[in-house]
Amino acid sequence: MDTRRDFLQKISLGIGATALTDLPASARELYAGPKADKQLRVALMGLGGYAGRVADAMKDCKMATLVGAVSGTPAKLETWKQKYNIPEKNTYNYETVSKIKDNPDIDIVYVTTPNSLHHKHVLQIAAAGKHVICEKPVADNAQQTREMIAACKKAGVKFYIGYRMHFEPHTRELIRMREAGELGKIMHVNNYMGFKSGDPNQWRLKKALAGGGAMMDVGIYALNGARYATGEEPVWVTAQETKTDPVKFKEVDETIMFQLGFPSGIVASCGTTYAFNNYERLYVIGEKGFVEISPAFGYGPIKGRSHLGPMNQPVVTHQTLQMDGIADIILNNKPDPNVTGEEGLKDMIVVDAVYESIRKGGAKIMLAGK
Ligand code: NDP
C-alpha cells in the first residue's frame, strides 16, 4: 500500500481529517509546500552519531535550518562547516560556547552529548540566553532536570526534549484514537524497547557518562509510551533487574522489567534491555479496541494495527518532523506539546523510582510527593 501517496492525496483533497488534523502543521508542510519565510536557526552541540542524523534530516525541514555547531573535536567542525555550509563564526567548542549569547544568528541549541553531560550543557546554553532542545534521557535524575527547568525559566528560554515519537504519525493517531474514545476505557498497556548492546567500551556502559543503562537509554520510550497510551500519570512503580552479563554491564543496568500503576487502577507492564534484539512494541488495550505499534520507537519504518485493521499512517523521517514541529511551536507561538522539560521531568521521576524499587528488592514506590 502506498501510504505516502494516500497521505498526499488526503492533503490535497482535505479529507482524512481524523489523522491529519492531529499532525503538527509542519508534518503536512513536509509533504507539500516551499520553505517558510521564517526559519528557526539551530546549532547542534556534540557532533556524534545522533547529531549527524538530525543534521541530515534537517535538510528537508521547511521551518528549521542548521546554522551552527558546537564540538570538542576541531576536525569535526571543519567537516561540518563544509558538509552543512556552516559559517566559521557559528562554530564553538565547549569552552567558548558561552559566547553564543553574542551571536544573533542562532536561535536554539540542540544538545546531543552523552546523557550525563546534558545537565551541564543545558545550564550553559540557558545562561547564554538561547532556547534549548536536549536529547533523552533529559538528565541523570529528576533533581538535575528540575535545575535545568529552573535555569531555562530564569533565562526566559524554551526547553524541549528530543521526544521524536510525539511527531510521528502512528503515535499521533494512537493518541487521537484514545482521546476520541475509540479505544474505550483503557484497560492495559504492554510496552517494551531494547536491543543487544555492542562495543563494551562505549560511553553508554559507563555510569559516569550514561547515568544508567538500558532503562535510561531506551526504557524511557516504553515509559513515555505508557504515559501517552493511557493519558494518565503513574502513581506507583515496581521494578526488577536481571543481568546475564555482569562483566559487560558492571556499571549499568542490562535488563529491567517495570510496572506502572495508574490512578484508574490499570497497570502498564514494561520492559527494557541491552541484551537482545527484536524487543520493541507498544500495545494498548481498551474496552472497545486496541492499538499495537511494532516497531514502535526506533527510526522505523513504524508499523501499526488496531481493532480496525492495519494503520495507514505515512512513513516519515522523525527528526525532520520533530525539528519542523518545534520550529512551528516557537516561531508561530503554538501551544507547547508533550515534549517540554516538564514532560522530561515526569519521566525522570519514574526512572528514579524504577532504580529505587530495584535497590529495595522490588518494593512498591509511591510517586506522590516525589
Ligand atoms: P555519540 O557517542 O555518537 O556522540 C556523542 C558526542 O558527544 C560525541 O561525538 C562528542 O562530540 C560529544 N562528547 C562530548 N563529551 C563527550 C565525552 N566525554 N564522551 C563522548 N562524547 C562526548 O552518541 P549519540 O549521538 O549516539 O548520543 C548522544 C545523545 O543522543 C545521547 O543522550 C543519546 O541518548 C541521544 N540519542 C537519541 C536518539 C533518539 O532517537 N532520540 C538516538 C541516539 C542517541 P564532539 O566530538 O563533537 O564533542
Side-chain angles (χ1 to χ4, degrees):
M1 179 167 313
D2 187 348
T3 52
R4 185 184 155 93
R5 199 178 57 206
D6 274 5
F7 188 61
L8 282 164
Q9 243 171 24
K10 283 177 181 169
I11 291 168
S12 62
L13 295 173
I15 58 171
T18 50
L20 291 177
T21 51
D22 204 45
L23 282 171
S26 52
R28 279 168 265 148
E29 288 174 29
L30 177 66
Y31 288 86
K35 230 169 157 62
D37 290 340
K38 276 195 286 183
Q39 292 289 313
L40 185 73
R41 298 161 306 170
V42 181
L44 280 158
M45 183 171 187
L47 308 182
Y50 196 61
R53 186 174 285 273
V54 172
D56 288 341
M58 284 185 67
K59 289 178 183 162
D60 291 327
C61 279
K62 299 290 180 232
M63 278 186 264
T65 312
L66 177 62
V67 299
V70 184
S71 174
T73 313
K76 283 191 199 168
L77 284 175
E78 285 310 311
T79 309
W80 276 57
K81 278 197 284 189
Q82 302 296 323
K83 188 170 179 193
Y84 300 107
N85 204 18
I86 293 171
E88 166 73 26
K89 71 171 192 60
N90 288 357
T91 60
Y92 299 87
N93 62 39
Y94 300 109
E95 282 72 49
T96 61
V97 69
S98 58
K99 292 193 182 139
I100 210 166
K101 70 173 180 302
D102 303 320
N103 190 333
D105 300 328
I106 293 173
D107 302 311
I108 189 163
V109 177
Y110 192 162
V111 175
T112 53
T113 49
N115 308 344
S116 299
L117 302 176
H118 292 175
H119 176 255
K120 176 181 166 191
H121 290 156
V122 168
L123 296 194
Q124 275 180 309
I125 301 307
K130 300 293 178 185
H131 300 307
V132 57
I133 306 171
C134 178
E135 252 320 307
K136 45 58 52 180
V138 53
D140 287 348
N141 51 50
Q143 182 49 35
Q144 285 187 350
T145 312
R146 287 192 183 92
E147 289 163 14
M148 292 152 90
I149 292 170
C152 290
K153 209 172 234 170
K154 189 171 163 217
V157 298
K158 302 260 194 183
F159 178 28
Y160 297 112
I161 316 301
Y163 283 152
R164 59 186 160 73
M165 299 319 298
H166 286 267
F167 301 90
E168 191 283 319
H170 297 77
T171 308
R172 299 302 314 163
E173 174 63 359
L174 147 68
I175 294 169
R176 188 205 62 74
M177 288 173 77
R178 194 244 311 139
E179 287 177 346
E182 292 172 22
L183 304 179
K185 184 175 177 313
I186 303 301
M187 300 305 293
H188 185 62
V189 172
N190 183 204
N191 293 350
Y192 40 86
M193 174 63 167
F195 66 97
K196 188 168 171 56
S197 175
D199 179 6
N201 298 314
Q202 62 185 302
W203 64 259
R204 281 183 169 79
L205 304 187
K206 313 247 181 291
K207 180 129 170 64
L209 279 172
M215 182 67 217
M216 281 278 187
D217 190 16
V218 286
I220 203 105
Y221 287 102
L223 153 57
N224 192 260
R227 291 179 48 235
Y228 60 70
T230 57
E232 293 186 49
E233 297 302 334
V235 290
W236 59 258
V237 175
T238 51
Q240 309 80 38
E241 180 183 6
T242 56
K243 260 183 204 184
T244 60
D245 189 342
V247 175
K248 184 170 180 181
F249 301 103
K250 187 167 168 239
E251 296 188 27
V252 300
D253 45 284
E254 176 198 296
T255 300
I256 289 180
M257 299 295 138
F258 59 101
Q259 302 77 38
L260 309 176
F262 290 92
S264 61
I266 62 167
V267 172
S269 177
C270 302
T272 187
T273 190
Y274 266 166
F276 47 87
N277 290 324
N278 303 307
Y279 194 54
E280 184 184 340
R281 180 182 184 229
L282 179 152
Y283 189 24
V284 53
I285 304 156
E287 277 185 338
K288 292 205 278 192
F290 71 90
V291 171
E292 180 185 34
I293 306 181
S294 184
F297 307 114
Y299 302 140
I302 302 297
K303 289 189 186 143
R305 67 184 184 109
S306 76
H307 55 288
L308 302 172
M311 294 173 87
N312 289 322
Q313 270 56 46
V315 170
V316 299
T317 304
H318 303 175
Q319 295 80 7
T320 310
L321 288 201
Q322 175 197 308
M323 295 310 290
D324 257 345
I326 289 177
D328 193 21
I329 291 155
I330 293 177
L331 296 174
N332 299 320
N333 281 321
K334 297 277 173 68
D336 277 344
N338 291 332
V339 296
T340 56
E342 281 78 6
E343 293 297 319
L345 175 59
K346 286 176 191 168
D347 285 339
M348 289 316 298
I349 288 170
V350 176
V351 170
D352 283 356
V354 164
Y355 288 126
E356 185 183 348
S357 174
I358 289 166
R359 279 198 307 276
K360 294 179 176 169
K364 189 172 187 177
I365 308 299
M366 304 307 293
L367 295 176
K370 293 266 184 198

